[in-house]
Amino acid sequence: MKIPKVLRIFIHLMLGLCLIAFLTLSALDAMAQTARPPMPGQQAPFTGAQTTNPPATTAPRPQMPVPDSVVEQAKDQNEGNFGPLVRPITAGQIQEVWDYAKPEDGVYEPDMCANCTYRIRTRERMPTLIELPLGERILGIDRGIKAGWLIQQREHNRIVVQPKGFGYDTSLIVRGESGQVYPFYLRAEGVNSQNIPDLFVKINGTVQIDDEMAVPVSAHTDTNLVQNKYEKNTSKVPNMDLPASDKGKDAIDGLVNTNPGTPDEDYVAEAKFDPNALRGWGQYKLYGDKELEPVTVFRDDYFTYIRFGDKWKDLELPTAYVVVDEFDELVNTRVQGQTFIVESTQKLITLKSGFKYMCIEFVGGA
């Protein structure tokens, strides 16, 4: 049977289209088998069953190019060259105001007061030491802000304050076991400040805790002479219990002929000296520096008598203070012969000479 020419052309056309479709599908399948690897951060397309170990014939994924800077740095580090480390402290930060400072500059000694704030100027990278009054013990510390400040307690009555920067301020509240509250205002200044900072702040005064004196052990204190109720070191109290007869004779010999009563020109009522009223030998406890240690202490109805023995000729006479309403009050003193007379019979008397001190506490009866 002879196929018409038109039908033969149609059949050839259809066969050609099928061949083109087959070749196109084959090419697409081959491209899918050699797809490019996923970029970093992309997931590979799911192509069916996944295998844990790919066939050995699988070509490795191409790696991202390494920057030249990384290559150069790795070479330097391999040779031990890790580059310079820039630190925040640089030269040119000396505070020139110290070139003209006096020896006493940088020391601030305010008197203790109940209704005042102690204002302190600090400087970055410089610590400031705060010393509370004699006899005080720190019960607690409350600070305004913790960031930017280093605040630490030193001993029982000292605090170290150091700013970590400059240009800011804060407050510091210190509570003492005596019941006193010490409010501080702290200001942090920089190296270019025209003000000299306070490196040592000493609050002058004396407080009592439970009617006993708690004396701080400082660099100026002979610890062999300190009797502190918190240290229970009672065996180190100077010997003051010699026979009263010997002490009485020594005292009378030095006082009777010089009449240590109230001077005639004194405005207070005249106090007559009565040797029979002398008493108190062996009834005083001493706390403080050996240089101010007396040989004996006694009293009568009006005055306290202090004798320093052989050290009298070399002694720089101290000033005397008594505690009144929890504050140190200066009291009149005078010299009669070789006897240092304090015109008071308060239970606690403090002698001060420079940084040295001696606390004399009467522990006897009336």
Side-chain angles (χ1 to χ4, degrees), residues 49-353:
Q50 302 290 327
T51 59
T52 303
N53 298 319
T57 58
T58 302
R61 295 179 178 179
Q63 300 295 323
M64 295 295 294
V66 179
D68 294 340
S69 60
V70 175
V71 176
E72 295 299 326
Q73 189 177 109
K75 290 181 180 179
D76 290 339
Q77 292 177 356
N78 188 50
E79 296 176 359
N81 182 14
F82 288 87
L85 179 62
V86 180
R87 300 180 183 274
I89 300 179
T90 60
Q93 300 190 46
I94 293 178
Q95 195 178 22
E96 295 181 352
V97 68
W98 284 98
D99 295 342
Y100 312 99
K102 300 177 182 178
E104 63 271 17
D105 288 341
V107 178
Y108 175 42
E109 295 190 61
D111 293 329
M112 183 177 64
C113 61
N115 301 307
C116 63
T117 298
Y118 307 97
R119 292 174 288 185
I120 300 176
R121 177 182 288 114
T122 65
R123 210 211 84 170
E124 60 173 334
R125 305 193 187 107
M126 282 190 175
T128 297
L129 178 65
I130 301 175
E131 182 176 283
L132 300 185
L134 187 67
E136 186 63 274
R137 298 183 69 90
I138 297 174
L139 180 63
I141 300 175
D142 299 300
R143 64 192 71 186
I145 56 174
K146 295 182 179 180
W149 293 90
L150 174 65
I151 300 177
Q152 295 180 333
Q153 180 176 343
R154 295 285 190 268
E155 295 91 30
H156 57 262
N157 71 328
R158 291 175 175 171
I159 303 171
V160 169
V161 176
Q162 181 175 349
K164 299 179 181 178
F166 63 92
Y168 49 81
D169 56 10
T170 189
S171 62
L172 178 69
I173 308 298
V174 180
R175 293 169 283 115
E177 290 188 8
S178 67
Q180 295 292 325
V181 177
Y182 306 91
F184 297 92
Y185 168 76
L186 306 178
R187 175 181 294 175
E189 298 184 358
V191 295
N192 61 343
S193 174
Q194 298 180 2
N195 303 313
I196 293 180
D198 300 320
L199 302 183
F200 179 41
V201 178
K202 180 181 180 181
I203 301 179
N204 292 320
T206 304
V207 298
Q208 285 182 284
I209 301 176
D210 296 333
D211 294 329
E212 292 186 10
M213 195 65 190
V215 179
V217 181
S218 67
H220 303 282
T221 303
D222 185 345
T223 55
N224 291 327
L225 294 176
V226 175
Q227 186 270 342
N228 191 312
K229 72 170 183 175
Y230 295 96
E231 297 175 357
K232 305 299 183 183
N233 193 18
T234 56
S235 63
K236 301 299 182 180
V237 179
N239 185 9
M240 300 296 290
D241 56 357
L242 296 179
S245 57
D246 295 342
K247 294 276 180 119
K249 183 179 183 301
D250 180 59
I252 293 174
D253 289 344
L255 292 176
V256 170
N257 296 329
T258 58
N259 185 23
T262 306
D264 295 336
E265 65 274 11
D266 202 314
Y267 65 90
V268 298
E270 183 179 357
K272 297 296 184 181
F273 176 69
D274 181 6
N276 296 321
L278 295 177
R279 60 190 183 276
W281 293 282
Q283 296 181 316
Y284 284 90
K285 290 184 178 180
L286 306 180
Y287 321 85
D289 293 276
K290 188 173 183 179
E291 289 84 348
L292 296 179
E293 177 192 358
V295 172
T296 185
V297 182
F298 51 95
R299 57 175 290 183
D300 58 16
D301 295 331
Y302 305 100
F303 305 136
T304 300
Y305 303 91
I306 303 173
R307 306 200 66 170
F308 291 98
D310 294 337
K311 67 177 66 174
W312 175 262
K313 61 182 182 301
D314 301 320
L315 183 68
E316 184 72 25
L317 287 180
T319 55
Y321 298 83
V322 297
V323 178
V324 178
D325 295 331
E326 300 183 350
F327 290 95
D328 263 358
E329 294 288 348
L330 188 66
V331 64
N332 290 334
T333 59
R334 51 194 172 90
V335 176
Q336 197 75 25
Q338 292 187 348
T339 303
F340 187 65
I341 302 175
V342 179
E343 297 183 355
S344 174
T345 56
Q346 286 282 347
K347 179 180 179 181
L348 180 64
I349 297 174
T350 304
L351 305 181
K352 297 182 181 180
S353 178

